[in-house]
Amino acid sequence: MKKLITRRDLLKKAAFMAVGGTVLLNRPVSAWAWAKGKDAKSKVILIRNRQLFAGEEQPDATIAAQMLDEAVCALTGKNTVKEAWASIIKPADIVGIKTNVWNKFPTPEIMNDILKERVLQTGVSEDNVNVNDRGVLKDPVFQKATALINVRPMRTHAWSGVGSCIKNYIMFSPQPSSYHDDSCASLATLYELPIVKNKTRLHVLVMFKPLFHHRTAQDASEEYMWKYSGLIVGFDPVAVDSVGLRIIQGKRNAFFQEDRPLNPPAKHIELADTRYHLGTADPAKIELVKLGWEEESFV
Amino acid sequence: MARIVYFFLLLVMSCSNLYALVQAKFSVDNLPEHFMSYHATDKMNYIGKELYDYINGGAELYLSYGLASMTGCKYIGDNDLPQVTVEIYEMTSSFNAFGVYTQSRDKEEQDYGQGSQSFPDFILFWKDRYFVIVNTMEVTSESEKAIKYLAGLIDKSIPETGKIPPITRCLPEEGLVSAGFLYFHHYIWLNAYFFIADYDIININEKTDAILAKYGDANARSYLLIVEYPDEKEAMEACEHLRKKYAPELSATNFIVELEDETWFTVWIQGNKLGAIFNGSSRKQTEKLFKDTINNM
């Protein structure tokens, strides 16, 4: 049964709950404490490097690779990149790297390349790994994939609030528009599709130069991007998105110098937790490991 | 009897055809094949939900305002000039074109149409039942001139002006944030400025006109919501539902209530209109905004 939430419900909970943070209120309140009783936390790595752009418009591929390597080691608790990837991908795996190709704001090509290279280094054969977005349903590698890696950049979205890791799987649906109802509230159910279910090994939310605002649905203006120079990496797409969302919200409030919520709110992230139990969106239940550059991290 | 029905149908059909003929319509043919150093490459025309093919989920914004069609054109320039794109969204009414415009504006200018916003890379405006976007992928002096030229041309090609929703007249002027209100009739936009509920708590639909407005400074911001229903009964039901779910302690004797975050709230109806104030900074401020609004309703 759907749990319907009003602002007042959240305020009432906040009056006697531990302080946390919410997707919906843009302020430190725990909105999910009543919905989950588990102690386990979702580990999320946020890594930033202020040298990523080094005065250039394009990110440095070597630094990007180092950032990913360091993040994956921290996430898996392994000492070497090889060990870390070996714990994620096996040589016999067939690996689909789900990217995002929207022409105005695609996944940086260097991230696709680095991820593919790391997968190949685990011993996966060249024929058994591919990068795709809109053609995933017709892609033989994705059709028989045993493992998926999800990589896309963070941006605001005119209907779902944000486009981030959870939403990136909409192309696994033969009819993406069937997920649009109620501002994409049910996006988490994409993870139940047979072509996806239990296959995702890693989520990488690219925060190199996120888009924190748009004027129209098709807008991706440089004016509303900033060089955050970060990556968010995790196993839990809801936790990864929740961290990314807090950063976007923090930037919006700082840029506009007022509380400027996403329009519409990215409620699919909250509902992925409270309604669909795909992961956790509650900051109090996320173990956020911050590496590298700290300044104006917004989390 | 059958003959009467037949003639009646003929009459209705001819009237609707006549309506279509007399209704001024922008045509993609109004867009130039060539201008300055630019050439049309890709003319676009999407009817209703076909817009998914162009912008997938983003199409829902326009569909929520009753999109009729989108026509547009992409232009490429000589000598690697940055691409310029025109998108002309024809909505079912001028109210809806105005509504989409209120979604997009951060400031209010009058350079094009009936309200516009200009940026170096981007011009958007509304006029009659059209919402127009002209943008360039990259700002150069040529591409900036190009988008201004096209915006001016399209503005002149739309012969009529459209009416603004009458519900906007309910908004008190004092304290209203510049370009700070939104017209809509889809519940998704209820949370545009401020999270209220994650579902349609007051039964907003295509038959209701709703307006959400920001009042006061950023550090003491209140939100005024006004919704006009088809009849008083629906307004009363929505008001009662909101009261029960949001502030059950609110009553005839306790008309403005303080919430847990020390903000103030009230909801009321007047005729077929519902009014509500969220996040009031004090009882006095909330009461004043209420009184000012009532006078306009």
Side-chain angles (χ1 to χ4, degrees):
Chain A
M1 186 177 162
K2 291 181 180 180
K3 184 188 285 286
L4 304 174
I5 300 171
T6 71
R7 179 180 204 88
R8 188 74 193 280
D9 295 331
L10 299 179
L11 295 178
K12 285 177 180 171
K13 295 286 176 190
F16 55 90
M17 290 275 178
V19 173
T22 79
V23 171
L24 297 171
L25 286 184
N26 308 323
R27 62 177 66 188
V29 170
S30 182
W32 295 273
W34 76 82
K36 293 174 74 77
K38 307 281 188 290
D39 293 330
K41 287 192 173 188
S42 288
K43 190 174 184 180
V44 172
I45 311 298
L46 166 63
I47 186 163
R48 297 174 72 208
N49 189 322
R50 71 187 313 166
Q51 298 304 317
L52 180 66
F53 286 93
E56 303 293 327
E57 282 311 301
Q58 296 303 318
D60 182 283
T62 306
I63 294 176
Q66 288 167 356
M67 289 167 66
L68 180 68
D69 289 344
E70 200 177 332
V72 171
C73 286
L75 181 68
T76 57
K78 304 294 182 186
N79 291 323
T80 67
V81 178
K82 191 175 178 183
E83 286 173 342
W85 277 98
S87 70
I88 295 170
I89 300 289
K90 305 297 176 200
D93 274 325
I94 300 167
V95 185
I97 300 172
K98 173 62 178 69
T99 189
N100 195 288
V101 298
W102 186 46
N103 65 339
K104 294 187 177 179
F105 200 66
T107 303
E109 202 54 46
I110 56 170
M111 287 308 301
N112 297 330
D113 294 344
I114 295 164
L115 285 165
K116 186 173 178 182
E117 190 180 311
R118 293 295 177 269
V119 169
L120 290 172
Q121 285 167 352
T122 64
V124 172
S125 88
E126 179 92 39
D127 295 340
N128 283 343
V129 58
N130 204 13
V131 180
N132 208 329
D133 177 11
R134 296 181 183 181
V136 287
L137 292 178
K138 291 180 180 171
D139 185 321
V141 169
F142 280 81
Q143 285 170 339
K144 58 187 178 186
T146 57
L148 296 171
I149 293 174
N150 185 9
V151 58
R152 69 158 295 160
M154 179 62 155
R155 72 174 178 101
T156 54
H157 190 278
W159 190 246
S160 59
V162 292
S164 47
C165 282
I166 297 172
K167 188 173 184 302
N168 202 36
Y169 276 10
I170 200 162
M171 285 301 157
F172 283 111
S173 164
Q175 196 184 352
S177 62
S178 65
Y179 289 83
H180 290 175
D181 190 39
D182 196 18
S183 66
C184 297
S186 65
L187 284 174
T189 61
L190 288 162
Y191 286 73
E192 292 297 313
L193 294 172
I195 194 169
V196 169
K197 192 170 184 178
N198 298 327
K199 291 183 183 176
T200 307
R201 306 286 175 82
L202 190 68
H203 299 274
V204 180
L205 188 57
V206 180
M207 304 289 289
F208 289 170
K209 211 161 83 168
L211 179 70
F212 64 89
H213 181 62
H214 57 264
R215 294 160 294 192
T216 67
Q218 281 283 74
D219 187 21
S221 168
E222 286 278 343
E223 189 178 348
Y224 301 116
M225 298 176 196
W226 88 112
K227 289 173 180 169
Y228 187 77
S229 304
L231 286 175
I232 301 174
V233 181
F235 297 129
D236 174 350
V238 188
V240 166
D241 280 6
S242 175
V243 172
L245 184 58
R246 285 160 62 200
I247 294 167
I248 291 291
Q249 189 58 61
K251 179 63 181 176
R252 288 172 65 84
N253 293 351
F255 182 87
F256 292 109
Q257 298 186 318
E258 65 172 347
D259 202 15
R260 183 65 78 95
L262 289 156
N263 177 28
K267 70 177 181 184
H268 69 273
I269 296 175
E270 177 220 337
L271 294 177
D273 176 343
T274 56
R275 186 182 294 171
Y276 301 109
H277 312 297
L278 177 64
T280 183
D282 183 354
K285 294 180 184 296
I286 295 170
E287 180 192 351
L288 177 61
V289 179
K290 292 162 68 175
L291 303 172
W293 186 29
E294 288 259 3
E295 194 180 331
E296 292 190 331
S297 70
F298 296 112
V299 281
Chain B
M1 182 64 187
R3 185 171 292 178
I4 292 171
V5 170
Y6 175 73
F7 281 120
F8 176 73
L9 282 173
L10 269 182
L11 183 67
V12 168
M13 285 167 69
S14 58
C15 284
S16 58
N17 285 340
L18 189 63
Y19 175 72
L21 279 174
V22 297
Q23 202 180 26
K25 190 174 173 69
F26 181 87
S27 164
V28 74
D29 296 334
N30 291 105
L31 293 172
E33 287 292 330
H34 307 278
F35 73 97
M36 294 163 60
S37 303
Y38 280 92
H39 316 282
T41 58
D42 184 9
K43 292 202 173 179
M44 300 177 279
N45 186 29
Y46 298 94
I47 310 291
K49 289 187 176 180
E50 288 174 6
L51 193 63
Y52 290 142
D53 296 338
Y54 182 54
I55 48 176
N56 204 344
E60 296 288 358
L61 164 64
Y62 302 101
L63 293 167
S64 77
Y65 281 95
L67 175 78
S69 67
M70 191 281 267
T71 55
C73 188
K74 291 178 181 168
Y75 290 93
I76 54 164
D78 295 337
N79 303 319
D80 290 331
L81 286 174
Q83 180 181 295
V84 166
T85 304
V86 173
E87 295 169 3
I88 300 161
Y89 295 87
E90 182 186 1
M91 315 308 290
T92 46
S93 70
S94 65
F95 293 0
N96 285 338
F98 174 74
V100 172
Y101 172 71
T102 62
Q103 285 275 354
S104 309
R105 65 181 175 172
D106 277 329
K107 53 185 179 179
E108 184 72 62
E109 296 167 341
Q110 298 293 333
D111 296 336
Y112 304 94
Q114 294 178 256
S116 63
Q117 274 196 111
S118 298
F119 302 87
D121 64 329
F122 210 90
I123 294 169
L124 56 87
F125 68 90
W126 80 282
K127 188 175 183 184
D128 193 9
R129 62 189 188 282
Y130 297 97
F131 175 68
V132 179
I133 302 169
V134 188
N135 74 301
T136 176
M137 298 282 274
E138 190 187 326
V139 180
T140 65
S141 59
E142 291 87 353
S143 67
E144 207 171 344
K145 279 180 199 161
I147 64 170
K148 286 179 181 171
Y149 171 80
L150 283 172
L153 186 76
I154 296 162
D155 184 4
K156 284 179 192 154
S157 303
I158 301 171
E160 306 288 336
T161 55
K163 289 182 179 170
I164 289 175
I167 195 170
T168 57
R169 292 197 285 267
C170 295
L171 294 177
E173 285 182 18
E174 188 179 337
L176 179 62
V177 173
S178 174
F181 69 88
L182 180 73
Y183 168 78
F184 61 105
H185 43 75
H186 190 293
Y187 75 93
I188 290 299
W189 310 119
L190 187 63
N191 299 309
Y193 295 152
F194 177 81
F195 175 70
I196 294 171
D198 77 342
Y199 66 106
D200 185 7
I201 194 169
I202 48 172
N203 195 24
I204 294 176
N205 56 56
E206 68 277 7
K207 290 180 184 168
T208 60
D209 275 353
I211 197 152
L212 184 66
K214 297 191 240 186
Y215 280 86
D217 297 335
N219 57 358
R221 182 64 44 85
S222 303
Y223 303 92
L224 171 63
L225 172 71
I226 303 170
V227 186
E228 184 171 8
Y229 292 88
D231 57 51
E232 195 170 332
K233 182 171 170 282
E234 285 189 44
M236 201 178 290
E237 284 170 0
C239 182
E240 187 54 12
H241 189 72
L242 180 60
R243 188 192 67 79
K244 276 185 183 167
K245 292 290 178 187
Y246 207 87
E249 64 269 51
L250 197 142
S251 66
T253 54
N254 189 24
F255 180 62
I256 299 174
V257 294
E258 186 176 18
L259 308 185
E260 290 78 3
D261 60 349
E262 299 177 343
T263 64
W264 297 78
F265 169 77
T266 187
V267 59
W268 71 93
I269 59 163
Q270 180 154 320
N272 64 338
K273 293 191 185 81
L274 174 149
I277 297 168
F278 297 86
N279 217 45
S281 55
S282 67
R283 176 184 286 277
K284 191 177 167 188
Q285 178 267 340
T286 308
E287 198 168 313
K288 177 165 185 348
L289 183 54
F290 162 71
K291 284 178 179 169
D292 291 348
T293 309
I294 280 279
N295 287 338
N296 291 349
M297 285 169 82

